[in-house]
Amino acid sequence: MTISYWNGRYLPLDQVQVSPLDRGFLFADGLYEVTAAYNGRLFEAEAHVARLQRGLAALRIETGMSDGDWLAILERLTAESGVDGDLTVYLQVTRGAAAARAHGFPAGVTPTIFGMVSPLKRPPDSWRAQGVAALTMPDIRWGRCDLKTIALLGSVLAQQAATDAGVTDAIQIRDGFVTEGAATNVFVVKDGVIATPVADHRILVGITRQVIQRLATTAGLPFVERDVRAIELATADEVWIASTTKEITPVTTIDGRLVGTGKPGPVWSRVAALFAESQGR
Ligand code: PLP
C-alpha cells in the first residue's frame, strides 16, 4: 500500500478514514492539486503550491500552512512513494468536518488535508505521432472555473462524453468561445501564432499552460492570450491540449474533421521539444 498524508501524519493509504461529515464529502467544499514528479524530481512544485494557496485564500479556508510546509509534504510523499519511475502527488484540502450539516462555513473546524501518490502513466507515443481526436460540447460548469475545486461533475460529464464517443478530450464552448478541455487547457495555432483563452474566471490557469507560455515567449514564438472563438477550431493550423498528465498533446481531429493537415504540427513539435527539455528529458 502506498504512503499517504493525512492531517499531519504519514500513513498507508488504506488506513485513511474520512468522516461522512467532511465538507468535501457533503458539499465538494475543497480544492486539489496534481503535481508530477519525473525520476523522483517534482515538476513545477512551487507553482502548484502557489495556485493552491491562492485558491484557499479565495475560499477562505485557513490551514496555517506555509508554501514551505506544502512543499515538504510533496517532497516527502515523492521520496517515500514506493513508486518506481514517474508519479503524481495528489493533494486535497477541504474545509473540514463540522459537527452538523449546514451550508454556511462552520465555526472552529480544522481543514482536512490529504495527500497520496500514484504512478504516472505518461501520454502514449501514438499521441505524439498521430495526435488525438476531440469533440466539442457546451461548457455547463459554474462561474469560477479559475478555482481548482473538487466539485468536478462538469468535467466528469465532459470526459465521459469524450470517452463514450471514443475520443480523448472534450473541448468545451461557452457563449461561442473555447474555454478548456475536460481537464486540459486548449491552444490554437494560426500562421505561427499560438493563442490560448484569457486567464479569467472561465478557465483554470494550468501550470502546464504557464510553462508553455514561458517556453514559447523565451524562444521568441508569438504567444497571445485572447478570447478564442469556437469557429477558429475549424480553421486553425494546429490545436493542442495541455495538462500535468496529458503534457502537450496535439489534437488532429475535432468533431470528426481534420485539424490543419491532420498531423501534429511544427509549432507543437518545437514547443513539445522545449517542454521535454524542461522536464529534464
Ligand atoms: N483545466 C482544467 C479544468 C483542469 O482540470 C486541469 C488539470 O486538471 C487543467 C486545465 C490543466 O492544469 P495543469 O496544467 O495545472 O495540470
Side-chain angles (χ1 to χ4, degrees), residues 32 48 51 141 148 180 183-185 204 206-208 242-244:
Y32 75 107
H48 283 278
R51 182 170 67 185
R141 299 171 306 156
K148 198 166 169 64
E180 47 191 344
T184 57
N185 289 118
L204 181 78
I207 305 307
T208 318
S243 73
T244 296

Side-chain angles (χ1 to χ4, degrees), residues 67-162:
D67 291 3
D69 295 333
W70 290 116
L71 287 169
I73 295 173
L74 292 176
E75 293 287 358
R76 178 148 170 201
L77 287 175
T78 302
E80 296 182 17
S81 69
V83 171
D84 253 354
D86 302 330
L87 57 87
T88 56
V89 185
Y90 176 87
L91 271 184
Q92 176 170 316
V93 186
T94 76
R95 200 175 302 279
R101 182 185 180 278
H103 285 62
F105 297 174
V109 288
T110 307
T112 301
I113 302 177
F114 169 62
M116 65 176 172
V117 288
S118 312
L120 171 59
K121 213 171 113 216
R122 302 210 38 231
D125 290 343
S126 64
W127 288 14
R128 310 172 68 80
Q130 286 132 39
V132 299
L135 52 73
T136 58
M137 63 182 284
D139 190 340
I140 60 164
R141 299 171 306 156
W142 75 323
R144 288 301 305 275
C145 294
D146 55 316
L147 298 171
K148 198 166 169 64
T149 79
I150 56 173
L152 285 172
L153 194 48
S155 298
V156 166
L157 294 176
Q159 183 56 58
Q160 192 56 39

